[in-house]
Amino acid sequence: MSGKTSNEMWGGRFASGPSAIMEAINASISFDKRLYREDIAGSIAHSAMLAEKGIISPEDAAEIRRGLEQIRTEIDEGRFEFSVAHEDIHMNVEARLASLIGPAAGRLHTARSRNDQVAVDFRLFVKNAARDLDRALRLLIEALVDRAEEHAATVMPGFTHLQAAQPVTFGHHCLAYAEMAGRDRGRVQDAIRRMDESPLGAAALAGTGFPIDRHRTAEALGFREPTRNSLDSVSDRDFALEFLSAASIAAMHLSRLAEEIVIWSTPQFDFVRLSDAFSTGSSIMPQKKNPDAAELVRAKTGRINGSLMALLTIMKGLPLSYSKDMQEDKEQVFDAIDNLALALAAVTGMMRDLKVNAEKMRAAAGAGFSTATDLADWLVRELGLPFREAHHVTGRAVAMAEERRVALEALPIEDLRQLDARITDAIYSVLSVDASVASRTSFGGTAPENVRAQVRYWRERLGSEG
């Protein structure tokens, strides 16, 4: 045995030994104080219902409400002293309530447990955060639709494998992300519908013998209805997992757009230019302008994905009903909420702010024989060639243009007729990038008229929401 004392073995951080460690690992007030509004709202609804059912007196309910409203004001104004000794937000509020109104405070916890109390607080918080996320996604869609309308006919290269493939328009590209954000909103709205049930009144795990009215408290807190199984009510964190899942998918979409902004803003591409508001300089290289906002959006996606995996791992081995492990759910969700909100604001701001270099986009769209597919389609449509044969003829045309270091549309008609004598001057109508994008009129295609039609669709869709 060494000569260390028990306190030294536990580490200098914990002057009181093991009991200090237990206090530190058990306390959650450092983070769950963010739930104070939801906790106070839940307590006001619960005490009002208890009075309506004759379980506590109207006088006690009125005192409880007065005290809770004072506590909410104190926290709002930064005058409330949170105590680690009281562990969590629930006990901090209850202790302060007792100091304000005396014994009546002790009646507040009748017919409930901290298990259903934290469950309802956390659901309320996540539901409100999901609504905020839905609104932020709408703002992103509005920014994307605005840029799409502005650049409905701005030609740029479309890529597969990050290789120039076929010309598209920048407006069409923006609307691709509007579609993603629209699906993100759908997932968030679906999650809100599923979490719109109140667990308050499930008590510790088995319900209560008091004649409470759970429908009344659910209605008072803005829930559609109460949950239907007391065991599930206190042990469920699906609502948090579903929120994190939707958040992770949304963050992934933001990361893809951020990656494209990083690529497009390089001098090698020079498709877009970010303002100083979303860029930083180099400490050593004065010529540098770094797209740090976009890069940080990519990085924050990793944090948000990590929050989802952390909570999945926390929950995967828990038996019914409540376990203290579930205290670890909140920090993951809080972190994801904060970082996704910041990432969404950054991407929305960048999309509204960036300057599009249309000339550079057009030049890149015409490089790499990007209209080769249009040539093959013309051979099929006008000459009746099977597509595979047309593909072969087009490949020979590309090889010819590559050898001569010219674009497809610069090949003389005499040379093209060497590939097939039936080719006419009409073929040049499909070989320019403008003709290429204009021809893509199939539903969902990149033709400028299609882009404008989709802009109208999105404006009507958003407008119908009120």
Side-chain angles (χ1 to χ4, degrees):
M1 292 287 291
S2 70
K4 291 182 177 180
T5 67
S6 62
N7 284 1
E8 289 174 324
M9 291 174 66
W10 286 106
R13 167 73 176 81
F14 300 100
S16 302
S19 62
I21 293 177
M22 184 60 205
E23 180 179 89
I25 198 172
N26 190 54
S28 59
I29 188 59
S30 63
F31 52 87
D32 70 13
K33 60 187 177 184
R34 287 183 66 164
L35 300 175
Y36 78 92
R37 285 185 167 276
E38 290 77 15
D39 191 71
I40 290 170
S43 291
I44 289 174
H46 182 68
S47 60
M49 178 274 296
L50 292 177
E52 288 174 6
K53 299 297 291 183
I55 299 170
I56 66 173
S57 70
E59 293 76 20
D60 282 345
E63 278 294 284
I64 288 169
R65 183 185 187 96
R66 180 186 63 79
L68 289 171
E69 289 175 345
Q70 179 176 332
I71 292 168
R72 182 170 57 205
T73 299
E74 289 176 0
I75 300 176
D76 284 343
E77 296 176 353
R79 296 186 288 110
F80 190 94
E81 292 187 13
F82 293 100
S83 169
V84 174
H86 293 309
E87 294 184 15
D88 56 31
I89 185 61
H90 323 298
M91 298 304 292
N92 268 264
V93 169
E94 190 170 321
R96 176 61 177 147
L97 184 65
S99 73
L100 287 173
I101 69 172
R107 303 189 188 282
L108 172 60
H109 211 53
T110 305
R112 77 172 182 184
S113 160
R114 273 195 290 179
N115 293 356
D116 63 333
Q117 189 176 358
V118 69
V120 76
D121 292 359
F122 199 25
R123 276 202 192 220
L124 276 172
F125 188 92
V126 174
K127 190 169 78 162
N128 289 333
R131 287 172 172 159
D132 290 342
L133 174 55
D134 183 47
R135 285 189 287 269
L137 286 164
R138 177 190 168 116
L139 292 176
L140 174 60
I141 293 171
E142 289 174 352
L144 291 164
V145 170
D146 286 345
R147 297 319 297 267
E149 184 172 40
E150 180 185 355
H151 293 284
T154 300
V155 179
M156 68 174 290
F159 297 93
T160 62
H161 309 279
L162 204 54
Q163 306 292 315
Q166 293 176 312
V168 296
T169 68
F170 184 61
H172 193 57
H173 202 106
C174 289
L175 289 180
Y177 284 100
E179 291 289 334
M180 296 180 209
R183 293 194 296 272
D184 291 329
R185 292 190 72 195
R187 275 181 283 270
V188 171
Q189 291 163 4
D190 285 346
I192 291 172
R193 280 190 286 274
R194 272 183 288 278
M195 70 177 73
D196 200 18
E197 299 176 352
S198 172
L200 186 59
L205 76 161
T208 177
F210 287 95
I212 62 173
D213 185 348
R214 293 189 60 213
H215 288 83
R216 178 72 183 88
T217 52
E219 179 185 10
L221 292 171
F223 287 103
R224 183 182 65 248
E225 60 186 345
T227 52
R228 295 178 177 274
N229 183 283
S230 59
L231 283 169
D232 180 57
S233 298
V234 298
S235 62
D236 169 50
R237 292 298 182 270
D238 287 4
F239 63 92
L241 287 166
E242 193 167 5
F243 174 85
L244 288 176
S245 179
S248 295
I249 296 172
M252 175 269 292
H253 290 151
L254 296 180
S255 185
R256 295 183 72 179
L257 180 50
E259 169 71 1
E260 296 201 306
I261 291 172
V262 170
I263 293 171
W264 292 343
S265 63
T266 60
Q268 291 78 11
F269 272 75
D270 195 24
F271 286 1
V272 302
R273 294 169 190 171
L274 292 174
S275 73
D276 293 347
F278 294 98
S279 307
T280 64
S282 167
S283 62
I284 191 172
M285 294 170 285
Q287 82 281 9
K288 292 289 293 300
K289 188 173 184 180
N290 301 322
D292 282 8
E295 292 172 1
L296 288 166
V297 168
R298 289 186 312 195
K300 289 186 180 298
T301 300
R303 288 180 65 163
I304 294 164
N305 290 349
S307 294
L308 171 61
M309 294 310 300
L311 187 52
L312 283 169
T313 305
I314 289 166
M315 297 300 299
K316 74 173 183 64
L318 299 186
L320 295 179
S321 58
Y322 181 81
S323 297
K324 193 69 170 181
D325 310 52
M326 293 161 71
Q327 181 170 288
E328 295 296 310
D329 56 3
K330 293 163 201 66
E331 286 182 287
Q332 307 303 327
V333 173
F334 294 161
D335 191 73
I337 288 169
D338 294 344
N339 283 284
L340 183 55
L342 193 55
L344 265 167
V347 171
T348 302
M350 282 188 287
M351 287 308 298
R352 288 206 175 278
D353 185 72
L354 60 80
K355 299 294 186 292
V356 175
N357 188 343
E359 290 183 7
K360 199 64 180 279
M361 282 186 174
R362 172 179 290 279
F369 312 108
S370 62
T371 58
T373 305
D374 298 274
L375 171 55
D377 288 346
W378 187 91
L379 293 171
V380 172
R381 190 169 56 248
E382 301 300 326
L383 303 186
L385 293 184
F387 184 80
R388 289 301 173 198
E389 185 178 343
H391 188 283
H392 177 71
V393 171
T394 300
R396 291 168 59 198
V398 168
M400 184 186 298
E402 192 169 31
E403 181 181 348
R404 299 181 186 184
R405 296 183 179 180
V406 298
L408 283 173
E409 61 264 36
L411 287 173
I413 188 64
E414 293 79 14
D415 292 340
L416 291 172
R417 283 175 176 157
Q418 291 177 22
L419 306 176
D420 190 304
R422 295 173 294 169
I423 293 176
T424 68
D425 289 343
I427 199 168
Y428 293 108
S429 67
V430 301
L431 293 183
S432 72
V433 291
D434 288 304
S436 175
V437 296
S439 71
R440 306 293 175 177
T441 56
S442 59
F443 186 79
T446 191
E449 63 182 84
N450 282 17
V451 174
R452 295 185 182 101
Q454 288 302 309
V455 166
R456 290 192 296 273
Y457 159 80
W458 276 106
R459 295 205 188 284
E460 290 171 4
R461 176 171 165 177
L462 295 172
S464 68
E465 297 175 5

